[in-house]
Amino acid sequence: MELLVIGLDGLSTNMLDRFDIEPEYINRVLENGASGDLMSVDTPTTLPAWTSFATGKDPGSHGLTNMIQQASDYETSPLRTNTTDAAAYDLIDDALFVNLPASAGRVPAAEDTHLVSAMLAEDEEDAVPSHLQQLDAFEDYILDHDKSLKKNPQTYFDHVCDITRARRDFAAEAFDEYDPRLGFVLFSTPDWAGHLLSNFSDDETRGRYYRQLLSVVDTCAQDLAERADNVVLMSDHGFERKHTNIHINDFLHQRGYLRESESSVSAANIAVQTAKAIGKRSSVLYEKIRQLYNYIIATDVGQTLQEAAEPNIDYRNSKAWQLRYGCVFINDKRFDHPAVDDPDALRRQLQTELADLTDDDGSPLFRDVLLAEEAYSDPDKRAPDVIARPAPGCYPTLLKSPTGGYASHTNNFNHRYNGLFAAMGPLFAEKTTVETPSIVDVLPTIMAVLGMPLSPEFDGKVIEAATADEYSVEYRDSDTIPHPQIRTDSDQGARDEAVQERLEDLGYLE
Ligand SMILES: [Zn+2]
């Protein structure tokens, strides 16, 4: 194999440093190759970010800006695979992609190229094309984790280690069988493990579990890398400890932009009201409740509790709301009941007001507050109106503030913008630090070093500092860009249902 891209979902070097983890193989590539803290996209989440990798375009162009979407009737639903933009598996012949998120239902347009999809697929049979189901390792291939195992952390971490090894075995057999020029494999487990770290209250316990997983991921990455002359390690976003929750919807509510509906009375709702009342009086007790909450959020009861802790938004009568992860939408004519006369003015006003928000010590809650045209190179109308990028250690939650105000203390682990990029082999520069390469730039860079003409549609550009030589970049003619091909035999309804459940488990859907 000439080049292998190994995806490490949600991995960043700060997490390795925090838990004192020194993965032998990953460190070797970081130190000897061209590496840097990869910059993710808005929002820095799995589906938008991997779609940006696959298309070389930012989310404003490919349309998947968040983990969920909202229709004109205000209903939120899981995303579907992008079906309008050419992706790596359409542009690169003789390639094999294993476990690429947000590609379910797509058929490679490139010649001799194979695609195993991941998140957004219904099950193993939906994710793996039938000719690849013939591989021996398919029998043990696992698409997704069993969330019920989260109740026992050791069982769960053993389970994600098994998934990691099964993915390595499947990818190894597929690469050996098909001998592609370019390979891709994604290990999703660092992301899943990262989310579970919030359930523990001390770094010693967290470190023990995270270290266990990372040593398996490192070995599996090395086993596959031995098959390739050149290797790119990359994540789609990083992880970090969050000390502050930002409650954007509470802010919008208090300033009169967001209206809440009468919330229904339920046992879960009463539990949340009680927790909030206690939180106002005792931060110690609140912290205990928060830990318990993190623990049970992994269960079905926890999902109900989380729903109750999110405001019930009266969208029709609201001017603006946060959908999730700092993305604010304005109720303009994209929606069935527009309630804003001058959306442009409101956009600028919200941008200013959000940028002014600080915590109790006066530190800004956001590193940047951007309009769509500032965050994306060519946003279409589905893009969020305002994108509030949280400051380091801050997380824009959907949960209501337990203590009043727009910021509250937390002790969670969640996504951050900076991930990881490291490239090693004859095609790449040696021992070089690359200044924040963007995830959108990875595909153009891979294609350039392999001597392939780039798509003129790319938003990304070649990361020149990472390449061994100077490359003269050539572009295809626009009319030779392949059209996306969609599988016709698949059941989108069943897929939506499976995905809905999975996103609920990760806390992405109400
Ligand atoms: Zn991810």
Side-chain angles (χ1 to χ4, degrees), residues 9-10 45-46 50 191 236-237 415:
D9 205 298
T45 40
T46 302
W50 284 116
D191 180 274
D236 52 336
H237 52 79
H415 296 196

